[in-house]
Amino acid sequence: MRAYAQQDHGHDHHHDGADGRHGCGRCAESATERAERLCQERGLQFTPLRRDVLAVVAAEGRPLGAYDIAERMSGQGRRVAAVSVYRALDFLTEQGLVHRISSRNAFVSCEHDHGDGASLVFLICRSCGGIDEMTAPAVESALDATLAQAGFTPTSRILEVEGECGSCRERRRREG
Amino acid sequence: MRAYAQQDHGHDHHHDGADGRHGCGRCAESATERAERLCQERGLQFTPLRRDVLAVVAAEGRPLGAYDIAERMSGQGRRVAAVSVYRALDFLTEQGLVHRISSRNAFVSCEHDHGDGASLVFLICRSCGGIDEMTAPAVESALDATLAQAGFTPTSRILEVEGECGSCRERRRREG
DNA sequence: TCGGGCCATGTTACAGTGTATCAGCCGCAC
DNA sequence: GTGCGGCTGATACACTGTAACATGGCCCGA
């Protein structure tokens, strides 16, 4: 996974070990840095809570539930309630820093600098649990044409595909 | 809504009153008849519970939650637990008689005789709560091409669009 | 400086969604 | 009859999400 991301995010690694995803400090770091800059530009507060939630999600590289996030952030005297996580996620989602995966009730960090209106396609691998997002202009225009013909005015689009990613397919083929 | 359904379901009516959807006996009837036939063909049991769940969903014409369905089926001495509804919905979903709307955690009856592999687009109106499903071959082929390029093997696709349907848009324009 | 408004967060409670598990029933094949 | 598998009932529980209220910090105008 991620090997086929249309827009790579700087360092070339794959999160597709047999164990699923691993925490990646570099992903988390670049994500928070980008978010910090973006919030500053927009005059919004990038609070520690929001930063930490984003860092956890970004480090994971696969969809995480709000309660999982809360759990990861808690410990060592700190207790983060799921409500707080939800609020932070609301904020991050509004700012396009995090995306919600409806089919999983989970969240992933957005690693693309796509425009506001862009509709994304999420590719979720059933085998490794990894996820990738990509823009697909051809799909988008075809969909827009279909909607226009139907007289429907869209405000948001959800496009999630489940299946098997290239890496897993390859591995399965090799291993039998 | 439904005015633009690509494949009509027999009688020409719209479920878009100002009050949202109404129960439609004819929708329910045709849906259960079709389901009965289909189950017979496939050698599956179309039990009373499954029939009733389908009838409730079909009569509604908009996404219904499992607990809503259970509530509607209960009363007058009969009590249907949500678990039973879920099981029936699992069955109906597997048979393609009902679709799950991920973004709403709700279910709608399928009124089309589309093939097994067809991927559907769901149009959900924020104003009237109505929903329509349509096949969109152009979208599908564009998506397939994109996935193939990414090396991703899809097993299921979710395509849900929120917005305003033609009827609501027209009404809003008229009423100011 | 004081007060008020706004925002972010904490806290509790609760509503809504979904699954695991066990038990009973029924039809059917052996 | 006996066993088996599929369907349903029932309870309990896990997971997901929101409402409501309280607190503390910050800025801003009086």
Side-chain angles (χ1 to χ4, degrees):
Chain A
M1 296 286 284
R2 301 211 177 283
Y4 52 83
Q6 288 200 335
Q7 188 178 347
D8 209 336
H9 58 289
H11 59 291
D12 179 19
H13 72 343
H14 308 273
H15 282 186
D16 59 350
D19 58 339
R21 275 30 195 160
H22 63 270
C24 174
R26 284 203 280 171
C27 281
E29 198 181 326
S30 64
T32 51
E33 280 170 8
R34 203 161 61 75
E36 171 114 50
R37 200 170 57 243
L38 187 143
C39 286
Q40 207 158 16
E41 284 169 14
R42 299 184 186 172
L44 300 169
Q45 299 184 45
F46 192 55
T47 65
L49 181 73
R50 291 169 180 175
R51 175 172 44 73
D52 294 350
V53 168
L54 179 58
V56 167
V57 175
E60 187 70 16
R62 66 187 175 91
L64 262 187
Y67 280 69
D68 291 331
I69 298 169
E71 197 177 328
R72 268 161 225 241
M73 292 173 65
S74 299
Q76 294 150 1
R78 187 187 194 188
R79 184 185 111 84
V80 179
V83 232
S84 300
V85 174
Y86 274 113
R87 283 191 285 231
L89 287 171
D90 283 346
F91 172 85
L92 295 170
T93 303
E94 273 170 22
Q95 301 309 318
L97 295 164
V98 154
H99 296 298
R100 178 189 169 75
I101 308 300
S102 295
S103 58
R104 296 282 179 111
N105 292 327
F107 302 83
V108 291
S109 84
C110 174
E111 299 175 349
H112 294 186
D113 256 331
H114 44 71
D116 247 1
S119 66
L120 297 171
V121 184
F122 293 98
L123 276 44
I124 310 164
C125 179
R126 276 188 166 139
S127 173
C128 67
I131 194 165
D132 241 323
E133 58 178 284
M134 49 196 302
T135 55
V139 176
E140 199 173 338
S141 63
L143 181 56
D144 282 345
T146 303
L147 295 176
Q149 195 189 343
F152 194 91
T153 313
T155 55
S156 74
R157 302 163 181 79
I158 294 172
L159 228 159
E160 298 168 14
V161 182
E162 281 213 9
E164 189 176 38
C165 72
S167 311
C168 285
R169 184 180 161 83
E170 181 58 27
R171 179 155 39 79
R172 197 166 49 78
R173 208 175 55 74
R174 273 202 318 271
E175 296 176 1
Chain B
M1 299 284 282
R2 303 210 178 282
Y4 52 82
Q6 288 198 337
Q7 187 175 349
D8 209 336
H9 58 287
H11 59 290
D12 179 20
H13 72 344
H14 309 272
H15 280 184
D16 59 350
D19 59 341
R21 272 37 192 154
H22 63 271
C24 173
R26 283 203 281 171
C27 281
E29 198 181 326
S30 63
T32 51
E33 280 169 8
R34 202 160 61 76
E36 172 113 53
R37 201 170 55 244
L38 187 143
C39 287
Q40 207 158 15
E41 284 169 14
R42 300 185 186 172
L44 300 169
Q45 299 186 43
F46 192 54
T47 65
L49 182 72
R50 293 168 178 176
R51 176 174 44 74
D52 294 350
V53 168
L54 178 59
V56 167
V57 175
E60 187 70 17
R62 67 188 175 91
L64 262 187
Y67 281 69
D68 291 331
I69 297 169
E71 198 176 327
R72 266 160 227 242
M73 292 174 66
S74 298
Q76 294 149 2
R78 185 188 196 188
R79 184 186 110 84
V80 179
V83 233
S84 301
V85 174
Y86 276 112
R87 282 191 286 231
L89 286 171
D90 283 345
F91 173 85
L92 295 170
T93 303
E94 272 169 22
Q95 301 310 317
L97 294 164
V98 155
H99 296 298
R100 178 187 169 76
I101 308 299
S102 295
S103 58
R104 296 283 179 111
N105 291 327
F107 301 82
V108 291
S109 83
C110 174
E111 299 175 349
H112 295 186
D113 256 329
H114 43 70
D116 247 2
S119 65
L120 297 170
V121 184
F122 293 98
L123 278 43
I124 309 163
C125 180
R126 277 189 165 138
S127 174
C128 68
I131 194 164
D132 242 324
E133 57 178 286
M134 50 196 304
T135 54
V139 177
E140 200 172 338
S141 62
L143 182 56
D144 282 344
T146 303
L147 294 176
Q149 196 190 340
F152 194 91
T153 313
T155 54
S156 74
R157 304 164 181 77
I158 295 173
L159 228 158
E160 297 168 13
V161 182
E162 281 214 8
E164 190 175 38
C165 72
S167 312
C168 284
R169 184 180 161 83
E170 180 58 27
R171 180 155 38 78
R172 198 166 49 77
R173 209 175 54 74
R174 274 202 317 272
E175 296 177 359

